[in-house]
Amino acid sequence: MAGLKGEQQLQVLRRQGAGLEPAEDQVADEVAVALVYNGLSHVVMMATPDNLEDFALGFSLSEGIIERPQQVYGMDVVQHPLGLEVQIELATECFESLKHRRRNLAGRTGCGLCGAESLAQAIGTPQKVVPAPMPSAEAIEHALTQLRLHQQLQVSTGAVHGAALCDAEGEVLLVREDVGRHNALDKLIGAIADAESALQQDDVFVLITSRASFEMVHKCAAANLGALVAVSAPTALAIEQANKAGMQLVGFARPGRHVIYTETDTHHLKNKENSHVA
């Protein structure tokens, strides 16, 4: 059974040129993690088994199971032969709402997104966020450099995604890692919520080491995180949903370049450029 530190050390054979030699390698853990609310198993995710309390809290917030951290009364991580359970004590009104949601999903024949049977249910409408400033080019550059220094598990294993909260200067305030990009973001959201006002600033942005799908936009919107920067591409739906949420969205963040996708800011930048020309 994998440990709870997120990685294991294994004996491997490493080929160099024409020869093989024994070596030690650090590999990322990936285990089944069940989120159990008031004794009801709701979902099983394949995840890296560290910071699971952050993961459970962030998932509960980003999926709308709770509205605020205070609606979770307690958590316990229980190890089983086949995986891990995070046993979550949920406020009664939240648990009743969760059971109602599960009853509505029962009996559906489709195998779409989380049992959704219509396009409206599958995609939904993102929450509106408090407007956030567009991160500066300098801040994005600095955050990219800093993130590499903070991703200890990625340095060891080369197999995990990272999600970071960065301030207006690009300083990394908090990082969470996981084999799953959604999980890494949920862990970050949970850690931010757990820290309360200490990290909840208006001029912060989230930096992720993956593409920006619409789910990533929805999760940030649910946590009122108004600026998302991805090192890879966004999807067209993610851009559409970011604009609906009033969120800043940047993709292809690389040293020396990035692409701004939100309508409001591209229009603002064009108008600003035109005014300089005039």
Side-chain angles (χ1 to χ4, degrees), residues 6-271:
E7 60 182 316
Q8 297 184 52
Q9 184 171 288
L10 299 179
Q11 298 296 317
V12 298
L13 287 175
R14 181 169 290 132
R15 179 181 176 183
Q16 293 187 348
L20 289 174
E21 60 181 23
E24 293 182 344
D25 196 18
Q26 299 295 121
V27 296
D29 275 333
E30 183 178 22
V31 303
V33 178
L35 300 185
V36 180
Y37 295 92
N38 293 9
L40 178 67
S41 183
H42 176 62
V43 66
V44 178
M45 309 285 283
M46 298 306 297
T48 303
D50 64 345
N51 299 300
L52 290 181
E53 292 86 353
D54 289 341
F55 173 52
L57 180 59
F59 180 89
S60 301
L61 286 164
S62 70
E63 295 297 320
I65 295 170
I66 61 173
E67 296 179 353
R68 54 190 182 277
Q70 293 77 13
Q71 290 171 316
V72 170
Y73 297 152
M75 289 188 203
D76 288 305
V77 179
V78 179
Q79 193 161 345
H80 293 278
L82 297 179
L84 298 165
E85 276 188 6
V86 184
Q87 298 177 352
I88 304 156
E89 185 181 355
L90 200 61
T92 301
E93 66 273 17
C94 298
F95 184 57
E96 291 301 319
S97 176
L98 179 62
K99 288 195 296 183
H100 178 72
R101 182 191 305 184
R102 289 173 60 87
R103 282 196 300 270
N104 286 345
L105 294 178
R108 291 177 178 161
T109 58
C111 58
L113 290 172
C114 299
E117 63 182 6
S118 72
L119 293 176
Q121 289 172 333
I123 298 172
T125 301
Q127 293 185 27
K128 288 282 188 179
V129 299
V130 174
M134 174 63 67
S136 68
E138 294 78 12
I140 293 174
E141 293 270 344
H142 187 61
L144 287 168
T145 300
Q146 289 294 303
L147 181 57
R148 288 193 291 269
L149 302 177
H150 284 80
Q151 275 199 270
Q152 297 179 358
L153 192 56
Q154 170 66 6
V155 170
S156 296
T157 68
V160 298
H161 284 292
L165 184 72
C166 309
D167 67 14
E169 284 71 46
E171 289 293 334
V172 172
L173 304 175
L174 192 63
V175 174
R176 290 293 181 266
E177 297 180 277
D178 198 276
V179 291
R181 58 193 175 90
H182 300 93
N183 299 342
L185 182 55
D186 276 333
K187 286 180 178 180
L188 179 69
I189 289 170
I192 294 170
D194 191 50
E196 296 181 341
S197 60
L199 296 174
Q200 295 175 2
Q201 308 169 24
D202 292 336
D203 56 355
V204 296
F205 64 94
V206 172
L207 174 62
I208 57 174
T209 62
S210 65
R211 66 187 176 92
S213 60
F214 87 94
E215 303 103 320
M216 305 294 269
V217 168
H218 274 240
K219 286 179 180 293
C220 285
N224 196 30
L225 295 165
L228 175 62
V229 178
V231 301
S232 192
T235 64
L237 183 57
I239 298 167
E240 175 189 312
Q241 296 289 293
N243 282 316
K244 286 183 178 179
M247 182 186 299
Q248 311 287 11
L249 181 61
V250 173
F252 289 113
R254 300 284 198 279
R257 63 183 177 93
H258 60 261
V259 181
I260 297 171
Y261 288 94
T262 39
E263 285 182 7
T264 52
D265 267 270
T266 53
H267 292 164
H268 170 74
L269 290 173
K270 286 177 182 177
N271 292 335

